[in-house]
Amino acid sequence: MGPNLPKLKRKFQKVPNVVMLGLDSAGKSTLLYKLQRQEAMDTSPTIGFNVITLELNKKSVFTVWDIGGQRGLRSNWQYYLEGCKVLVFLVDANDRTRIEEAKIALKTVLSDRNLEDVPLMVLANKTDLPNSMTLNEVCQQLDLAKCTDRNWEIQACSALKGLGLQQAFLTVAKLIQKQ
C-alpha cells in the first residue's frame, strides 16, 4: 500500500482550470478539439460549454473550459471564472470588423473580481490567412499595453491547422506554475 501512495496523491490532486473565451466564430471549439484529438473537426456554435482535461506532459495537466461566445451567452461567462488559473482569450485575427467588439468583451471579463491577478493568454487565431492582422495590430486593437495589472502573453495560431497550439498551451502551463 505504501509505494502506491504517491500515485494516489497525484490522481486526486486538483487539476487547474483554464477558461477559454472569445467571440463566437473565433475558433475556440476548433482549437479545443484539435488539441484533444489532433485532428480538425466540424463544429457548430457552442451553446453552453465544452470541457476537456489536457495533458501536455506529466507536469502540465489542466482542465480547459471552452465557453460559448455568442452575444447572448457572454453574460454567463462570469459563472465560469471562479478558480480560473489562466484566462485564454481567442481572437479571430482575420475579422477586422469585430475586433472592437472583442476588445470590449475582453475588457469586461478582465474587470471580474475572480480574475484579479489571473494571467492572460491572448491567441490570435487564423493568422495563417491572407490579410489577417499581425500580432502587433491585435495588441494595439485590444489595448493590451494598458493591461498592467496581470501577466499576459500573446501568440499567433491556427486552430484549424494546429499551428502554435502546443507552444501556446506550454506557455499557459508555465503561467499556471508561476502562480
Side-chain angles (χ1 to χ4, degrees):
M1 178 78 175
N4 291 329
L5 197 55
K7 284 184 182 179
L8 283 173
K9 186 178 177 186
R10 268 184 298 197
K11 183 177 180 180
F12 291 108
Q13 282 178 337
K14 188 171 180 183
V15 177
N17 286 329
V18 172
V19 176
M20 184 167 52
L21 302 174
L23 303 184
D24 51 306
S25 299
K28 297 178 301 296
S29 296
T30 301
L31 183 151
L32 192 71
Y33 292 128
K34 187 70 172 183
L35 282 171
Q36 182 183 37
R37 300 180 180 149
Q38 288 79 44
E39 63 182 79
M41 295 186 62
D42 288 334
T43 61
S44 58
T46 302
I47 306 299
F49 63 89
N50 297 305
V51 63
I52 65 165
T53 298
L54 183 60
E55 185 172 351
L56 299 175
N57 54 47
K58 289 185 188 235
K59 290 184 179 181
S60 303
V61 179
F62 41 87
T63 302
V64 181
W65 293 79
D66 156 28
I67 314 300
Q70 294 91 333
R71 188 181 308 268
L73 297 175
R74 290 181 211 153
S75 61
N76 295 326
W77 285 358
Q78 64 183 323
Y79 301 113
Y80 297 90
L81 301 178
E82 188 175 336
C84 175
K85 296 298 180 190
V86 175
L87 175 67
V88 175
F89 193 83
L90 202 66
V91 176
D92 182 343
N94 199 47
D95 190 352
R96 295 172 188 273
T97 61
R98 296 183 72 202
I99 193 71
E100 181 66 22
E101 185 180 355
K103 173 184 165 182
I104 292 166
L106 178 60
K107 184 178 179 181
T108 301
V109 78
L110 288 178
S111 69
D112 190 287
R113 64 177 175 76
N114 284 308
L115 290 181
E116 286 180 13
D117 300 321
V118 171
L120 169 67
M121 167 59 85
V122 175
L123 294 179
N125 190 25
K126 306 179 188 180
T127 53
D128 57 318
L129 298 177
N131 303 317
S132 66
M133 288 179 271
T134 65
L135 284 183
N136 197 25
E137 287 177 286
V138 173
C139 275
Q140 289 175 348
Q141 293 295 323
L142 295 178
D143 272 342
L144 291 178
K146 292 182 180 176
C147 193
T148 58
D149 60 339
R150 71 190 70 243
N151 289 329
W152 62 269
E153 300 274 343
I154 185 167
Q155 184 170 321
C157 71
S158 169
L160 194 59
K161 294 180 180 177
L163 301 173
L165 301 185
Q166 195 75 11
Q167 180 182 351
F169 280 86
L170 285 171
T171 301
V172 167
K174 288 177 186 173
L175 290 170
I176 289 170
Q177 289 171 358
K178 286 182 182 179
Q179 285 191 314

